[in-house]
Amino acid sequence: MAEIFVGIGSNIDREQHIASGIDMLREAFGELSLSPIYESESFGFSGPSFFNLVARFESSKSIGEVLAELKRIEAANGRVHGAKKFASRTLDIDILLYDDVVCSQPCELPRGEVLENAFVLRPLAELAGERIHPIAKQSYHALWQAFDKQYQPLNRVSLT
């Protein structure tokens, strides 16, 4: 069983799509551990703020099979693939970590956004703080402590 961490984000009907995405992840993969949810400004384009969180689960599925399932969940929530990268979206789910695999195909692992974006690193550090990034060779907690938090402010939110 692989330990898998995924980033989940939405800036269109955020509460609805985050809740639906979590429900569908549970249906597909079973028990989930969830980070708190954070609100952040759109990154790379002008648009509504995003809600972001990280989920952890275990699966015997391959990276490709997990990717296919995530694309199915996104599509079921109205995500249109092939749209431009920096744009509003109903639901975005990306594999951040698949055990300690380092690869570029079928996707980049660990995902580069882990080290670049507060909305990925902070919730990941909360779920997996003591895990060691397989390339940076530091814990996610240490990486978050060293991150420039002024660059991308986050606000913790609760879904009711």
Side-chain angles (χ1 to χ4, degrees), residues 80-113:
V80 178
H81 285 280
K84 59 184 176 173
K85 180 176 180 175
F86 294 108
S88 292
R89 46 195 54 145
T90 56
L91 189 63
D92 186 26
I93 308 176
D94 297 311
I95 301 176
L96 305 174
L97 306 171
Y98 184 100
D99 280 337
D100 289 324
V101 171
V102 176
C103 65
S104 59
Q105 293 296 324
C107 63
E108 176 192 15
L109 292 173
R111 190 166 179 92
E113 287 180 320

Side-chain angles (χ1 to χ4, degrees), residues 147-153:
F147 193 85
D148 179 1
K149 295 164 185 69
Q150 301 304 313
Y151 173 59
Q152 298 172 3

Side-chain angles (χ1 to χ4, degrees), residues 6-140:
V6 297
I8 305 167
S10 174
N11 75 334
I12 299 173
D13 296 327
R14 301 176 302 186
E15 296 89 350
Q16 173 193 335
H17 289 114
I18 294 288
S20 175
I22 290 168
D23 288 344
M24 293 181 80
L25 282 169
R26 278 195 181 108
E27 288 172 21
F29 298 106
E31 184 179 340
L32 302 178
S33 298
L34 301 173
S35 74
I37 298 170
Y38 292 94
E39 184 175 35
S40 64
E41 293 181 3
S42 297
F43 186 76
F45 69 101
S46 179
S49 295
F50 275 82
F51 280 176
N52 291 282
L53 72 150
V54 170
R56 179 210 168 274
F57 55 88
E58 293 182 356
S59 178
S60 59
K61 292 183 179 184
S62 70
I63 296 168
E65 291 169 327
V66 173
L67 276 172
E69 188 63 32
L70 299 182
K71 298 300 178 210
R72 185 192 69 75
I73 293 169
E74 289 175 340
N77 281 277
R79 172 81 186 268
V80 178
H81 285 280
K84 59 184 176 173
K85 180 176 180 175
F86 294 108
S88 292
R89 46 195 54 145
T90 56
L91 189 63
D92 186 26
I93 308 176
D94 297 311
I95 301 176
L96 305 174
L97 306 171
Y98 184 100
D99 280 337
D100 289 324
V101 171
V102 176
C103 65
S104 59
Q105 293 296 324
C107 63
E108 176 192 15
L109 292 173
R111 190 166 179 92
E113 287 180 320
V114 168
L115 300 177
E116 299 166 0
N117 293 317
F119 61 83
V120 177
L121 183 55
R122 182 173 183 183
L124 182 59
E126 292 184 11
L127 270 187
E130 298 310 311
R131 279 186 70 98
I132 303 298
H133 188 283
I135 297 171
K137 304 297 185 200
Q138 295 182 54
S139 73
Y140 293 101

